[in-house]
Amino acid sequence: MPAPTTRACLDVLAYRCTPTLLDGATVHLRQFPTSVTSLWTLLDRQYKDIVKREEAQAPHSVLTGALRCLTGGYVFFDPKQGLLATRHPLDDDTLRDAFTLLHGLILGHHPDDIDLNQPTPLAERVAETTPQERLLADYLITPDGPRTPDPSAPGRQPDAANWVYSTVAWDLAHRLAQHTWKVDGQDITLRPDSSGGLIAWQQPWTNKAGTAHALARVRLALKTLPNVADPILVVSSQATRISRTMAYARTVLAEQAETALPIVEVEMAGRGRVRRIHRMSLQTLARLGMDHSVLHNIQQRVEAEQNADTRGDSESRDETEAGSVGLSPIRPVQGKTFSFPVGRGVGMHHLRELDRHIGQILSPTPLTVVQDSRARGFKQLPQAELSVQPGDIIRSLDAMDYQHLRLVCLWYRDEMRQRMIHGLASVFGLDPQTIDPAEGIPVPLDAGRVSAVFHCVPDFLVHGPAAGQETAVAHIPSLKKEPATHVGVWAETEFDAAAEEEDAVPPADRAGTASGPGPDEDAKHQARRTLARLGFVSQFTADRKEAKRKKPNGKQTDHQVVLSLLDLCRSLGIIDRRIDQVMVDAIGPHAADQVAHCGIHVRRQSRQGKDRTAKICVTASVLKPPTTPGGAWTLHGWSYTHRRWELYHQAQAAFHADAYPTGKMTDFDDDNRGLKTVAQHIDQALADLCDYLGGTPYTVTVDGVAARRLWLGLHNRRQGQPPTRNSTWLPASTLPARERPLAVVRINKDMDEVPRPLRVSHRSADGTVARTNKVTNLLYQVEPDFGSPTWLLATVPPQFDGAGAGRLGEAITRWSASHGSSDAENRRKNEVRPNWYSMTATEIYPIITAAPAGTGEDPDTVPVEPQSLALAAARLCHQPLAWANRTRYPVPLHAAQQMDLDHPQYRRSALADDQNAEATGVTVTTGNGIPGVDEL
């Protein structure tokens, strides 16, 4: 008898948010008239004039913080949209007084001089606005309230008002908190927090000595997915580490006087070591009769620690940290880049048990996510086999019309010189004992097509104020451009590998880390800029990491050398044969090797220190198909500072030679005109790309989160709608039809927005689960209610299964983790300190921009299928350049982003990456892949 047919479904930590799920939840909403928003705009203008900073905003967060203390914790205030939402009713007089105080404080008045009996017009209008209790279920689909769906009408995308997305988790969190979470034989109590999440407040994770603590947090967020009729409740969980002191703390968690009230999450004001509660918040609460509140308690803790530091009294500071299980009601969140005895991440078992708990309490409707049957046909290259292939170098040189590749090796320690020699010898099959290069004399490596030349330049490479100066390399003839010769620089850097990942202690100032040089004295930054101005790309090699486990034959791979050579080849635009192997799916009428793929990377540049100028970064790369049978694909680039398409290494060098440009893509300076200007520059770049490609059709890939403000057509609620007039709807939408891409592929890797994979369930037709797989690396499709689907590329991080990793968190939560033991008879691994990893997902959503079949001149034209584009994007993530593991971006977008990540200014002023993010393709692993899981 044949076995029943099953289909593989991806279980995710996300659910349809239906009216039934919300179960009558309400919020109290005040929607202000236009006169209120006009008065707030006037107040905002006055504040800018007072502080003499155009980018400044009137601090409405002061009001939000004060009202949270007055109302129990749940407040959402949006002055631009003109609305205020609270979970419980708010008294008119309290609101009038709060706005009167805020108005006076913003204008610089002393709090005692503000007469609450003389409310401002803004405060009067706000208090006069009638509050309404709104049933959240009525506003899930449209911002206008209840409507009766027409069964004959086509499906529509959810388009709820912003206040719904910001408030829907309040009631859900309280319902979950009323039930004990039974996991690992323990009863875990989750308490709601003011952001709409949950915290295991009374059951922290600690190190063996009990001196370091982390809290399990659960976040609930309402999102949408393309062509899914219901909003999606996305659930995530993190390990939030608690600092012993308030120093450098940007965020503080605090318990209110009544345990029934939510834990309050407070954002601290200021910069540097000492951050404080905003003075206006304390003044507002004091005038409203609240001399003792969560905010006052936090400020008292800051002042007590500051006074103790001034006196050098560590005992007094320790007393402020004492409390139940070593924690006080005030818990500053540890900075992400500082080392900590409790690792990040909660593990797979934690997430699966959380899914079970939510299912028991809320009984939500799950998403239907099924395996894509076409996503098979190749495997990843094992890490041990990853290296530069001479044949690929020659193919790429021919494709780029170069006759010769010269690798200029810059060093100052003999140890690094020997590592470079052994690395090159391994790649080109030479005996390293026969290679002893003299200073400045080229060494042939491959039949006259590749050579290496070594130069000892300590003045150029050693950290210090004079590092990286052009005068230190001006005498080197190898660093001169020659016709038909491709040049790449491979250099040594003085580098503490441990400090690069995490600082051992918080930095004493903002000039650098506790274990490394300041950015202005880091030779790598300065040298890269100098070499870029000479027209050359460069790659720096770290000190060697010794493997914890020795191989049986005693041989140890120098992974830093292998990976730096691969990254240098990526910068040089050398494309290996693995790309040929994955480009197999036809795209509409075009064969796989007849379509170019462009990636556009957009990022705002954070502003730090004295440099308050707003900056943006826009880079792009294109993977161009071979021009001859059997030829190599080629990589080309473009940047916002050097607006010309050219070979990737030329574009990268030109980009690194200049500073980041100024522009209007920051929180403060964004406006429609500025965003539209940036989008128009990108459209011009795509028009130039069309000419550069000589008519070859192309696709465009973008990060949907980073670029959503540039192009309205990327938004979920805009899918299926015609472009609005005079808008930059999608990349190249302002161009003639012949210059537009076949499709725009939207990528989303933000784990706060993308459903988190849990397992694979093989289900029969009646929904019964026949069997499960705990992990998967396959491509899955979210079944849409209408229109085209979205794909999720599930990924198992290499760290989860790397050598000696032991799949931490696969079978237990951190509440059951072992602190380890060095006892010879009972030796156990410390499971608390390492990071615990979970599966991630990359969302892939193709938007077809080419005309459908039958609408053009040729009625038999094959349409472009979204599935073929999703497969191509997934495979270009699965088989990246210069890496054996998967990246979160496809090759073209990853290469464009890498131009930015390698920029000399990036590490100094870019926003710090969230180190809870996993499997980004930048972490070295010594494993050989993930045995026993599916392959894409």
Side-chain angles (χ1 to χ4, degrees):
M1 187 175 184
T5 302
T6 62
R7 66 172 181 172
C9 298
L10 184 68
D11 296 336
V12 295
L13 201 56
Y15 318 94
R16 287 178 178 265
C17 190
T18 62
T20 302
L21 177 67
L22 296 183
D23 192 29
T26 64
V27 297
H28 296 267
L29 183 71
R30 294 178 189 248
Q31 287 186 297
F32 304 129
T34 55
S35 59
V36 170
T37 55
S38 298
L39 288 170
W40 183 270
T41 301
L42 176 62
L43 178 62
D44 189 63
R45 180 69 264 170
Q46 292 174 302
Y47 182 73
K48 293 177 189 294
D49 293 339
I50 290 172
V51 299
K52 295 181 171 53
R53 290 210 324 270
E54 190 62 28
E55 72 275 8
Q57 294 184 103
H60 65 271
S61 61
V62 168
L63 183 69
T64 303
L67 291 179
R68 279 179 177 164
C69 294
L70 294 167
T71 62
Y74 291 113
V75 176
F76 172 73
F77 174 48
D78 187 338
K80 292 184 178 180
Q81 295 293 324
L83 57 89
L84 174 69
T86 59
R87 188 164 185 260
H88 301 292
L90 184 61
D91 180 74
D92 292 347
D93 292 336
T94 300
L95 193 60
R96 182 184 294 107
D97 291 346
F99 269 87
T100 298
L101 284 167
L102 178 66
H103 190 282
L105 293 171
I106 285 176
L107 297 183
H109 300 159
H110 191 279
D112 293 338
D113 296 336
I114 300 173
D115 187 356
L116 298 182
N117 294 318
Q118 298 292 325
T120 64
L122 173 63
E124 288 280 20
R125 302 283 196 285
V126 166
E128 290 169 358
T129 304
T130 303
Q132 296 180 335
E133 188 173 12
R134 298 288 180 87
L135 189 66
L136 283 166
D138 291 341
Y139 297 87
L140 278 178
I141 304 301
T142 68
D144 304 321
R147 71 180 185 93
T148 302
D150 182 359
S152 63
R156 65 171 296 169
Q157 187 78 35
D159 187 18
N162 287 342
W163 63 267
V164 175
Y165 290 91
S166 300
T167 62
V168 75
W170 293 349
D171 186 74
L172 292 172
H174 269 269
R175 286 165 58 192
L176 289 169
Q178 291 172 7
H179 300 266
T180 300
W181 181 17
K182 297 183 181 298
V183 57
D184 286 4
Q186 302 183 52
D187 293 339
I188 305 301
T189 301
L190 296 174
R191 293 183 57 181
D193 65 38
S194 59
S195 66
L198 298 147
I199 306 178
W201 187 256
Q202 296 162 311
Q203 291 151 307
W205 298 319
T206 65
N207 63 340
K208 191 172 185 176
T211 57
H213 311 272
L215 301 174
R217 297 195 70 180
V218 178
R219 297 189 183 276
L220 309 175
L222 192 66
K223 306 294 180 182
T224 61
L225 283 173
N227 303 324
V228 175
D230 298 306
I232 306 301
L233 182 68
V234 178
V235 182
S236 60
S237 186
Q238 301 85 27
T240 296
R241 306 192 294 188
I242 304 304
S243 173
R244 296 186 63 193
T245 70
M246 298 291 295
Y248 298 103
R250 298 180 180 181
T251 306
V252 177
L253 301 173
E255 186 176 31
Q256 301 192 70
E258 298 181 31
T259 57
L261 297 176
I263 304 299
V264 176
E265 183 174 342
V266 180
E267 295 295 325
M268 303 295 286
R271 303 172 64 85
R273 180 180 178 85
V274 179
R275 300 168 190 256
R276 312 174 67 87
I277 296 296
H278 202 293
R279 173 180 50 83
M280 292 184 188
S281 293
L282 299 175
Q283 292 172 333
T284 301
L285 289 172
R287 281 298 309 272
L288 294 177
M290 286 194 71
D291 293 320
H292 299 286
S293 68
V294 165
L295 301 186
H296 287 93
N297 295 340
I298 294 173
Q299 183 59 32
Q300 288 173 5
R301 166 87 178 262
V302 171
E303 293 172 356
E305 288 189 15
Q306 193 174 9
N307 292 335
D309 287 338
T310 302
R311 297 192 307 268
D313 185 359
S314 60
E315 292 184 4
S316 175
R317 182 175 62 246
D318 291 341
E319 288 178 2
T320 67
E321 302 165 18
S324 177
V325 296
L327 287 171
S328 75
I330 297 172
R331 304 181 185 179
V333 175
Q334 174 75 27
K336 291 179 181 177
T337 59
F338 306 150
S339 65
F340 203 77
V342 181
R344 299 185 179 93
V346 298
M348 291 300 303
H349 184 67
H350 181 111
L351 298 178
R352 292 173 187 140
E353 287 296 294
L354 181 59
D355 173 63
R356 179 187 56 79
H357 181 64
I358 292 173
Q360 291 175 345
I361 306 305
L362 302 179
S363 301
T365 303
L367 277 174
T368 303
V369 187
V370 299
Q371 181 182 319
D372 192 308
S373 59
R374 288 175 56 186
R376 291 185 178 275
F378 66 93
K379 293 183 180 294
Q380 284 182 319
L381 184 70
Q383 176 80 28
E385 299 178 16
L386 182 67
S387 72
V388 179
Q389 299 298 316
D392 291 334
I393 294 177
I394 303 305
R395 280 206 324 154
S396 289
L397 289 176
D398 291 339
M400 292 185 286
D401 291 329
Y402 284 114
Q403 296 299 316
H404 186 78
L405 171 63
R406 180 195 301 143
L407 299 177
V408 180
C409 304
L410 306 181
W411 62 281
Y412 69 92
R413 290 178 297 178
D414 190 65
E415 175 194 358
M416 182 61 71
R417 177 178 178 271
Q418 292 301 317
R419 291 176 63 202
M420 289 177 167
I421 289 172
H422 279 77
L424 293 173
S426 176
V427 167
F428 293 97
L430 304 174
D431 182 356
Q433 302 302 321
T434 64
I435 304 176
D436 186 17
E439 175 75 12
I441 304 300
V443 177
L445 298 175
D446 188 81
R449 298 296 301 273
V450 184
S451 66
V453 57
F454 285 71
H455 296 275
C456 182
V457 284
D459 292 344
F460 189 67
L461 298 175
V462 175
H463 298 315
Q469 299 300 312
E470 185 175 349
T471 53
V473 293
H475 65 284
I476 299 178
S478 303
L479 293 177
K480 300 290 188 293
K481 289 188 175 181
E482 298 178 14
T485 297
H486 198 6
V487 178
V489 178
W490 191 19
E492 176 179 3
T493 182
E494 186 180 353
F495 178 80
D496 184 345
E500 180 69 7
E501 180 179 355
E502 293 185 318
D503 294 335
V505 294
D509 52 47
R510 301 190 60 83
T513 68
S515 53
D520 293 331
E521 297 186 359
D522 191 315
K524 180 167 58 176
H525 302 318
Q526 311 306 325
R528 176 164 280 154
R529 170 64 55 79
T530 295
L531 293 169
R533 287 173 175 167
L534 295 174
F536 305 119
V537 294
S538 55
Q539 178 61 37
F540 292 78
T541 303
D543 290 340
R544 181 169 182 166
K545 286 184 181 179
E546 294 295 335
K548 294 181 180 179
R549 294 188 176 186
K550 302 293 184 181
K551 292 184 178 180
N553 58 10
K555 294 183 179 179
Q556 297 298 318
T557 303
D558 191 338
H559 289 285
Q560 284 66 45
V561 163
V562 171
L563 293 176
S564 63
L565 271 176
L566 283 164
D567 217 21
L568 178 59
C569 285
R570 186 266 310 162
S571 294
L572 291 169
I574 293 170
I575 308 296
D576 62 48
R577 295 177 188 269
R578 293 181 299 158
I579 299 302
D580 304 20
Q581 297 167 5
V582 301
M583 304 302 285
V584 296
D585 292 292
I587 299 176
H590 311 287
D593 60 356
Q594 294 176 345
V595 178
H597 300 276
C598 174
I600 300 173
H601 166 69
V602 180
R603 183 181 63 83
R604 68 171 184 174
Q605 179 73 4
S606 68
R607 302 180 299 177
Q608 294 184 356
K610 297 180 180 179
D611 183 8
R612 306 297 293 168
T613 307
K615 298 181 178 68
I616 61 172
C617 172
V618 185
T619 53
S621 75
V622 63
L623 194 60
K624 185 177 178 182
T627 56
T628 59
W633 288 72
T634 52
L635 193 62
H636 308 256
W638 178 95
S639 70
Y640 202 55
T641 57
H642 195 70
R643 300 173 191 176
R644 183 175 68 192
W645 288 98
E646 50 197 344
L647 290 169
Y648 183 78
H649 68 278
Q650 296 170 339
Q652 178 168 294
F655 178 56
H656 290 176
D658 293 327
Y660 281 131
T662 59
K664 292 191 174 182
M665 284 188 63
T666 67
D667 280 341
F668 298 130
D669 286 341
D670 282 352
D671 55 32
N672 289 331
R673 182 178 179 183
L675 295 170
K676 191 172 183 179
T677 299
V678 174
Q680 288 171 341
H681 284 308
I682 295 175
D683 277 7
Q684 181 58 54
L686 293 176
D688 296 340
L689 176 63
C690 188
D691 293 336
Y692 187 77
L693 295 174
T696 299
Y698 70 100
T699 68
V700 170
T701 303
V702 297
D703 184 310
V705 175
R708 62 173 43 142
R709 299 186 69 186
L710 290 177
W711 295 294
L712 295 179
L714 295 177
H715 298 186
N716 288 339
R717 63 191 177 95
R718 306 285 188 180
Q719 300 313 304
Q721 297 182 11
T724 57
R725 293 186 59 187
N726 301 320
S727 70
T728 51
W729 186 253
L730 286 171
S733 61
T734 63
L735 304 180
R738 67 180 182 278
E739 297 180 357
R740 296 175 193 165
L742 298 175
V744 174
V745 180
R746 191 190 74 184
I747 302 293
N748 189 349
K749 63 181 181 63
D750 187 337
M751 292 314 298
D752 288 334
E753 297 193 5
V754 180
R756 174 79 72 164
L758 298 174
R759 70 180 76 80
V760 179
S761 295
H762 296 266
R763 300 179 183 274
S764 57
D766 62 358
T768 304
V769 177
R771 60 187 177 89
T772 60
N773 297 98
K774 289 187 175 181
V775 291
T776 178
N777 269 337
L778 287 177
L779 182 68
Y780 294 83
Q781 182 184 116
V782 179
E783 288 194 346
D785 297 319
F786 47 86
S788 61
T790 304
W791 280 261
L792 297 178
L793 179 62
T795 298
V796 181
Q799 300 93 331
F800 180 76
D801 238 7
R807 292 191 171 189
L808 290 174
E810 174 60 39
I812 61 172
T813 66
R814 283 191 177 272
W815 285 292
S816 300
S818 170
H819 289 98
S821 172
S822 57
D823 184 359
E825 297 182 358
N826 188 26
R827 193 178 299 277
R828 297 191 311 275
K829 179 179 180 179
N830 184 342
E831 297 174 328
V832 174
R833 187 177 183 86
N835 295 334
W836 288 20
Y837 294 93
S838 308
M839 282 193 292
T840 62
T842 297
E843 178 189 302
I844 303 171
Y845 179 59
I847 304 172
I848 307 300
T849 56
T855 60
E857 297 180 0
D858 184 358
D860 298 322
T861 299
V862 178
V864 175
E865 291 183 306
Q867 185 182 29
S868 63
L869 295 161
L871 287 167
R875 286 173 169 155
L876 287 172
C877 290
H878 188 76
Q879 202 71 90
L881 301 175
W883 186 243
N885 297 304
R886 183 178 286 175
T887 54
R888 301 295 297 278
Y889 284 148
V891 166
L893 183 55
H894 183 77
Q897 181 197 41
Q898 202 64 43
M899 290 174 63
D900 178 27
L901 299 183
D902 288 342
H903 194 281
Q905 283 183 296
Y906 178 80
R907 293 186 184 276
R908 284 187 280 178
S909 49
L911 289 169
D913 288 339
D914 183 356
Q915 295 192 30
N916 286 309
E918 298 152 355
T920 57
V922 296
T923 303
V924 177
T925 178
T926 57
N928 290 328
I930 304 169
V933 298
D934 297 326
E935 290 290 344
L936 185 67

